[in-house]
Amino acid sequence: MATILVMQARGRVTAAELAEELETSVATARRDLEALSAAGIPVYPQPGRNGGWQLLGGARTDLSGLTSVEARALFLLVGPAASVDPEAKSALRKLVRALPETFRADAQAAADAVLIDPAKWGEPARERSPHVDALQAAIVERLRVRLTYAAWDKDPVERLVDPLALVEKNERWYLLGAIDGAERTYRVDRITELETTDQPAVRPPEWDGSAAWERVVGEVRQQRAAAIATVVVATSAVPWLRERFGRESVETLDEDELTTTLRITAPTDTMLARGLAGWGADLLSVEPASVREELARLGAELVARMGF
């Protein structure tokens, strides 16, 4: 299909031109052209100095009649698959390049607008943020957004952001953006207000969404591993602890039918203690002492508050 789209967009092409456009070998391009001709599609070689292969008789494919808006909508829908499947990414890139040149920028922007990270990461979101659709549109239309962001430990702040891509991870959405060229990441469900401006967004040269997200994930992993505890718990509690801390933060060191030894990471000893405090008799031992002290402090605060 990509071969036919290229021929529809460019008219006559040589095997070498087709190979360059679709990132294949000349032999593969020539074989594809010959296969189309043999299958009855009116693709014919034109001899001579300015010759090549041409699609005759108005033959068309289902994608050929797309308007620019339809092409953008289609690539916004199928683009996320390319972030998890190398073959889908290659196919999508070829299809974008096969579109009429006037459509390519919008189609590519739509294809790059959303990334999917299939790895689990903490608890899934309870509901989809109402800002996701507006951010998708701003990314594709390359417009800046003005947002108010409320981080969990800070007062809300207003930012003017160049939106670059959205990432969906474990049903939770993240915005990859930039402010004056500096990369920023925002959890979409913490955006309290959003306005799309008429100012053009600036996309850093050669910016790669997948690479940018990998940098974010690496930084988060380092932060989450700042505090480490080794705990022995009742084996029945392990699935719940993985759900509470996230699978990437819980490693099994030893286990039997009754008990399991885990290594659990979190940003601070306090966050480790809070995640462990509710397990009572299922929590058999905890190291290091700093986490045990945090557990004792939390327990004392609870006793004092409840008046036991």
Side-chain angles (χ1 to χ4, degrees):
M1 179 161 50
T3 297
I4 298 177
L5 285 169
V6 170
M7 299 182 75
Q8 287 176 184
R10 298 183 57 175
R12 184 178 300 176
V13 295
T14 66
E17 290 170 341
L18 183 64
E20 180 179 1
E21 188 77 10
L22 299 184
E23 300 179 359
T24 63
S25 68
V26 174
T28 297
R30 185 177 294 110
R31 184 169 60 248
D32 290 345
L33 290 164
E34 292 171 349
L36 288 171
S37 181
I41 296 174
V43 174
Y44 298 103
Q46 303 293 320
R49 189 173 194 180
N50 297 317
W53 290 77
Q54 187 169 359
L55 186 64
L56 303 180
R60 306 184 70 80
T61 70
D62 290 340
L63 288 181
S64 63
L66 290 177
T67 66
S68 177
V69 173
E70 290 169 340
R72 188 177 72 180
L74 173 63
F75 282 83
L76 183 61
L77 178 66
V78 302
S83 63
V84 295
D85 186 338
E87 292 185 357
K89 183 175 183 178
S90 175
L92 192 63
R93 183 171 61 248
K94 292 176 182 179
L95 288 175
V96 168
R97 296 182 67 178
L99 286 171
E101 188 171 356
T102 54
F103 290 7
R104 291 183 189 179
D106 280 353
Q108 186 64 61
D112 294 340
V114 177
L115 304 172
I116 302 295
D117 185 342
K120 299 297 182 182
W121 191 0
E123 298 179 1
R126 295 181 179 179
E127 59 184 19
R128 190 175 189 264
S129 169
H131 299 310
V132 170
D133 292 339
L135 286 168
Q136 284 183 344
I139 292 166
V140 174
E141 294 168 10
R142 296 177 287 282
L143 294 173
R144 283 180 172 166
V145 296
R146 182 174 286 105
L147 57 84
T148 301
Y149 190 72
W152 71 275
D153 59 344
K154 298 179 180 178
D155 294 331
V157 294
E158 185 178 287
R159 294 284 186 265
L160 186 62
V161 180
D162 294 319
L164 302 175
L166 284 166
V167 179
E168 190 274 326
K169 184 176 179 69
N170 200 25
E171 301 178 28
R172 194 178 296 279
W173 290 86
Y174 299 85
L175 170 66
L176 301 180
I179 297 178
D180 296 328
E183 293 183 0
R184 297 287 187 270
T185 304
Y186 302 93
R187 221 173 82 174
V188 176
D189 60 353
R190 290 178 177 164
I191 297 174
T192 58
E193 297 180 32
L194 179 73
E195 174 194 359
T196 301
T197 75
D198 58 2
Q199 301 178 36
V202 177
R203 190 180 185 90
E206 306 301 324
W207 187 81
D208 184 302
S210 296
W213 181 245
E214 281 300 317
R215 290 193 291 272
V216 172
V217 170
E219 292 171 1
V220 170
R221 284 174 177 165
Q222 288 184 341
Q223 294 171 1
R224 290 190 169 192
I228 303 173
T230 301
V231 303
V232 179
V233 298
T235 297
S236 60
V238 172
W240 303 102
L241 287 169
R242 292 192 188 280
E243 186 72 20
R244 173 64 182 83
F245 288 98
R247 294 184 177 276
E248 295 177 351
S249 298
V250 179
E251 178 187 358
T252 299
L253 301 180
D254 192 20
E255 62 182 331
D256 56 38
E257 292 183 3
L258 299 178
T259 65
T260 300
T261 303
L262 302 172
R263 177 183 289 117
I264 303 177
T265 59
T268 65
D269 286 346
T270 299
M271 294 183 72
L272 280 169
R274 287 177 177 175
L276 295 170
W279 295 100
D282 288 332
L283 191 61
L284 305 179
S285 71
V286 179
E287 294 292 342
S290 58
V291 179
R292 294 201 304 273
E293 291 167 0
E294 280 294 312
L295 283 166
R297 184 183 64 79
L298 291 172
E301 286 184 354
L302 184 60
V303 169
R305 178 65 60 88
M306 302 305 291
F308 295 141

